[in-house]
Amino acid sequence: MAADLSLIEKSATDIVKLLKAGEVTPIDLLDTLEKRIKAVDGKVNALPTLCFDRARKHARALMKKPKEGRGLLQGMPVPIKDLTDVAGVLSTQGSPIFKDFVPEASNILVEHLEAQGGVVYAKSNTPEFGAGANTFNEVFGATVNPYNTKLSAAGSSGGAAVALATGMAWLAHGSDMGGSLRNPASFCGIVGMRPSPGRVAATPGTKIDATLGVEGPMARTVTDLALLLDAMSGDDHRDPRSLPAPKKSFRSILKGPWKPRRVAWSPDLGITPVDPEVRAITEAAAKRFKEAGVIVEEAHPDFSEVHECFGTLRAYAFATTKFELLKTHRDKLKPEVIWNIEKGLKLTMDELTRAEAQRQTMLRRTLAFFDRYDLLLTPATIVAAYPVEQRYVAECDGFTFPDYVQWLSIAYALTTVSCPALSLPCGFTKDGRPIGLQIAARPHGEDRVLAGAKIMEDILGVGSVRPVDPRG
């Protein structure tokens, strides 16, 4: 068959069916993607590192196996975010320090995806070390928004989101600490999910029990996202945080009878300003849950300590993972990264213990909240896409943020209490910028998030898989 650009309009679920039926091969898919990337990526810069030779070698090896031995993905191509190592492939982390680094071993996440029949063909662009929710770096430059190439794609999984939105991927890997899956999903009109810590096994960093940062799936529809989460899930003895795969697949959850009885809507979680147009669009979408017979009430857990708590824990994470780089390569680090590392190094034991106590207090409140509500709905991001030259959002609705992180609090509040959360496309601004609705549940509640997201996707009629051509 070779390259067939009509395939890019199909869902990942349909592509896997075609692979199982033998109507397409993994090589056909790689040929198609290579052609699409040549036509599109020069306009958006989503996939700066390609590894098609490695991908075709892997695909040919898969094709020699019987179909039942090819894993859940059956040879589906998947790009990997450039924060995550892929053996034999340039892995820069968006940093000049690692602009020539080629790892010998893959991250556990990549091993699991390849064991499930995923074929890695590209690395997606990310800001330096994933810091800052705007995907630009000094190695590869900026990734831009396909709906308007003058605007940001958000971050840090910006390259992955843009690849999906433009038909350069059917599925994509991302990661999330303060909204790095959810923000670009919202800006680019696709679906991105932050799972609970441990749901997706990955190679531990310096702090082996870290739970703020997680790996997760991105796709163009909820059903496709559930497919990738199934492929990603499962424990590994090398990651002590990892959880066993659930007894029921996430895809089967979407077909089941469960639906929420009562959900909460909050425009701001009581902690952040929100652009008025974003608030109106997301509130209108959230209230449409009533069409499914669901009670919708305005409520949220008490997150009053979250700015101090998350700021402290994030800074500590930067200090533990990047301290040596600050000593040896300070001149190659961007200012925001230096600020975060230095903030972490200045922390006192009193500040760390207070942050941990605050986190525990907010978790108890959140668990009690989810005894009453099945889901929590909010805007996924407080603004729509902004000019790509703007490093971060400094102001919203008359409020000036004290640093480059706090504009992300509607996402990082849920990170802090280990809740799974998903960004679902729910509308557009008057000038055509996508908006996402955040859907969250209690820890380990991925099944509820996905089931609720599928109901909302059907109500809103946003289950389209047609990719966009960059414009602007």
Side-chain angles (χ1 to χ4, degrees):
M1 177 182 287
D4 178 1
L5 289 180
S6 69
L7 291 172
I8 68 169
E9 299 188 8
K10 295 185 180 296
S11 70
T13 303
D14 285 342
I15 291 291
V16 169
K17 290 177 181 176
L18 293 174
L19 287 166
K20 287 181 177 179
E23 295 181 33
V24 300
T25 70
I27 298 296
D28 296 331
L29 301 180
L30 292 170
D31 290 346
T32 297
L33 289 172
E34 190 167 31
K35 187 173 182 178
R36 179 65 175 172
I37 290 167
K38 286 179 180 178
V40 171
D41 199 46
K43 302 172 186 176
V44 290
N45 190 34
L47 301 175
T49 299
L50 304 177
C51 51
F52 277 102
D53 288 345
R54 181 186 188 277
R56 288 189 173 95
K57 182 179 179 181
H58 183 196
R60 291 188 186 101
L62 269 178
M63 291 165 64
K64 293 178 182 178
K65 297 181 179 181
K67 289 186 177 65
E68 59 270 17
R70 297 182 190 176
L72 186 60
L73 297 180
Q74 290 284 306
M76 167 68 74
V78 182
I80 301 297
K81 186 175 176 179
D82 200 23
L83 297 182
T84 300
D85 287 351
V86 177
V89 179
L90 183 67
S91 296
T92 75
Q93 300 186 58
S95 171
I97 299 169
F98 296 104
K99 65 182 178 63
D100 299 314
F101 176 64
V102 178
E104 295 182 1
S106 290
N107 190 285
I108 291 169
L109 162 84
V110 176
E111 292 182 6
H112 280 202
L113 278 177
E114 290 183 331
Q116 285 285 2
V119 176
V120 177
Y121 66 98
K123 300 295 291 294
S124 60
N125 205 19
T126 182
E128 184 177 20
F129 304 122
N134 187 358
T135 299
F136 66 88
N137 60 65
E138 292 188 14
V139 183
F140 297 121
T143 297
V144 295
N145 195 303
Y147 285 87
N148 182 338
T149 55
K150 296 180 178 65
L151 303 180
S152 169
S156 61
S157 305
V162 173
L164 286 162
T166 56
M168 295 188 289
W170 288 281
L171 299 171
H173 155 255
S175 60
D176 188 295
M177 177 184 279
S180 290
L181 277 159
R182 293 161 282 169
N183 295 316
S186 179
F187 276 27
C188 296
I190 57 100
V191 188
M193 184 179 190
R194 173 194 167 85
S196 304
R199 179 61 64 203
V200 177
T203 302
T206 306
K207 192 173 186 298
I208 64 171
D209 61 345
T211 58
L212 293 181
V214 302
E215 313 296 318
M218 305 177 79
R220 294 202 290 263
T221 70
V222 174
T223 300
D224 286 354
L225 186 125
L227 168 69
L228 184 53
L229 185 57
D230 278 330
M232 286 180 157
S233 296
D235 58 347
D236 189 293
H237 69 275
R238 295 168 293 176
D239 180 359
R241 304 160 298 184
S242 60
L243 302 169
K247 294 179 180 179
K248 292 182 65 176
S249 73
F250 292 115
R251 287 163 298 149
S252 68
I253 295 296
L254 303 184
K255 302 173 184 176
W258 185 86
K259 74 174 184 179
R261 185 179 66 86
R262 185 191 309 270
V263 305
W265 151 255
S266 175
D268 55 15
L269 294 180
I271 57 172
T272 182
V274 178
D275 176 85
E277 189 176 14
V278 169
R279 173 176 177 150
I281 291 168
T282 51
E283 182 171 8
K287 290 185 174 178
R288 291 194 64 185
F289 237 135
K290 296 176 183 177
E291 296 173 26
V294 178
I295 300 168
V296 181
E297 298 176 349
E298 186 165 335
H300 59 76
D302 180 357
F303 285 113
S304 53
E305 305 95 339
V306 75
H307 298 313
E308 180 185 4
C309 175
F310 182 79
T312 297
L313 296 178
R314 176 187 167 90
Y316 178 51
F318 268 81
T320 55
T321 59
K322 304 293 185 294
F323 174 50
E324 290 300 321
L325 294 180
L326 183 68
K327 289 196 301 183
T328 57
H329 296 285
R330 184 188 182 98
D331 61 320
K332 295 184 174 68
L333 295 171
K334 70 179 183 180
E336 293 88 349
V337 171
I338 293 173
W339 172 81
N340 247 145
I341 299 169
E342 291 186 336
K343 179 179 178 180
L345 293 174
K346 294 174 184 176
L347 291 171
T348 65
M349 185 57 69
D350 282 348
E351 289 172 313
L352 287 170
T353 54
R354 183 166 65 250
E356 294 291 358
Q358 290 169 332
R359 191 180 190 190
Q360 179 62 249
T361 297
M362 286 186 288
L363 175 60
R364 285 198 300 269
R365 293 180 193 141
T366 301
L367 294 176
F369 177 85
F370 282 119
D371 285 341
R372 176 171 175 79
Y373 297 101
D374 295 309
L375 297 171
L376 171 61
L377 313 179
T378 75
T381 309
I382 64 169
V383 295
Y386 55 86
V388 68
E389 297 84 6
Q390 190 177 325
R391 294 177 77 91
Y392 56 90
V393 175
E395 182 272 340
C396 178
D397 198 26
F399 179 85
T400 300
F401 295 105
D403 54 51
Y404 84 102
V405 179
Q406 192 168 312
W407 76 275
L408 305 170
S409 62
I410 207 158
Y412 71 57
L414 294 163
T415 293
T416 307
V417 291
S418 297
C419 289
L422 174 151
S423 177
L424 178 76
C426 71
F428 292 86
T429 61
K430 291 177 182 177
D431 59 2
R433 293 171 293 163
I435 299 296
L437 179 70
Q438 182 168 235
I439 303 174
R442 66 192 182 196
H444 299 179
E446 287 85 355
D447 52 351
R448 293 188 171 197
V449 171
L450 288 166
K454 184 67 172 75
I455 292 169
M456 283 299 300
E457 184 180 63
D458 291 342
I459 290 172
L460 297 172
V462 293
S464 169
V465 297
R466 184 176 178 82
V468 299
D469 292 321
R471 49 186 182 258

